[in-house]
Amino acid sequence: MNLIATKDISFESAIALTQEFINQLPTLDEDKQEEIVASLVQSANGSRGFFVTYLTHESAIVDNPSIGIIKGLKSAPETVSELLVKNIAMSTAMKITHLRNNDLEMAESSQKVTQRTKKIVELCQLEQVKNKISQMQKTIIDNKGEYREFLLRWGYDDEQKQAILESVQG
């Protein structure tokens, strides 16, 4: 399987390519990892497919992203930063939903996604992420702003929004 994504990759194909990428990760050098990740994050479908697969993968290999992966992510700072902030928000809110449903396994899984996403944020050090986190905080505090539609679309309640606020702050 060719691990280089095209700009017109489908979401489903991006998931499959990312799965194969993770499987081959131990055998790929940093430059190849960067090339593959950069090809995925050049499009919305590729980026979404990458993150949904990478952040939820059962293998601990994804807990510590390599320099190549980070460089690949940094090649598309706008798209990547948007998805990173939204992933922190969604996984944080879903942890609360799972706890309410007494589904501790899924709550733990959501927490793992939050931790992995925060680690990528920390390693990427993208100014765009800082800006988007600030916009998310402002939207939650003021109940208006850049992320209002996002928060409404997912129907987050006050407890979830407070958790998101705390999660993006620290």
Side-chain angles (χ1 to χ4, degrees):
M1 175 181 208
N2 179 12
L3 294 179
I4 303 300
T6 58
K7 277 192 179 279
D8 62 348
I9 192 169
S10 69
F11 179 62
E12 295 76 14
S13 294
I15 289 171
L17 194 149
T18 303
Q19 184 64 50
E20 187 59 31
F21 167 71
I22 294 168
N23 292 342
Q24 292 186 27
L25 207 46
T27 67
L28 300 171
D29 66 28
E30 298 283 344
D31 289 342
K32 191 64 177 172
Q33 292 175 29
E34 178 182 352
E35 179 186 11
I36 293 164
V37 173
S39 75
L40 278 160
V41 298
Q42 70 180 322
S43 69
N45 282 338
S47 297
R48 287 178 40 244
F50 173 80
F51 281 118
V52 77
T53 308
Y54 190 88
L55 295 173
T56 61
H57 201 273
E58 66 278 354
S59 174
I61 197 169
V62 300
D63 288 338
N64 294 298
S66 68
I67 292 167
I69 291 171
I70 296 303
K71 284 182 173 179
L73 292 173
K74 289 174 86 166
S75 72
E78 280 302 320
T79 305
V80 167
S81 60
E82 182 76 20
L83 289 172
L84 288 172
V85 173
K86 286 181 175 178
N87 271 301
I88 291 171
M90 294 183 343
S91 59
T92 299
M94 284 310 296
K95 176 183 175 187
I96 292 171
T97 299
H98 295 313
L99 287 172
R100 288 174 183 165
N101 295 331
N102 292 314
D103 190 340
L104 300 182
E105 190 175 316
M106 287 303 293
E108 188 178 302
S109 179
S110 291
Q111 179 63 32
K112 187 181 283 191
V113 170
T114 302
Q115 290 168 333
R116 286 175 172 172
T117 308
K118 286 179 157 188
K119 179 141 195 177
I120 291 171
V121 165
E122 181 184 315
L123 292 171
C124 282
Q125 291 293 308
L126 290 169
E127 195 60 39
Q128 292 88 337
V129 171
K130 293 176 190 162
N131 294 338
K132 290 181 187 309
I133 284 174
S134 176
Q135 291 170 350
M136 179 68 78
Q137 292 168 327
K138 189 168 174 34
T139 302
I140 291 170
I141 291 166
D142 298 342
N143 200 27
K144 65 180 182 194
E146 182 74 25
Y147 287 99
R148 187 169 189 280
E149 290 302 315
F150 168 78
L151 296 168
L152 286 172
R153 179 174 357 118
W154 294 105
Y156 298 140
D157 61 28
D158 289 340
E159 181 185 8
Q160 289 169 314
K161 287 190 251 184
Q162 183 60 40
I164 292 167
L165 189 60
E166 291 168 13
S167 190
V168 296
Q169 285 173 333

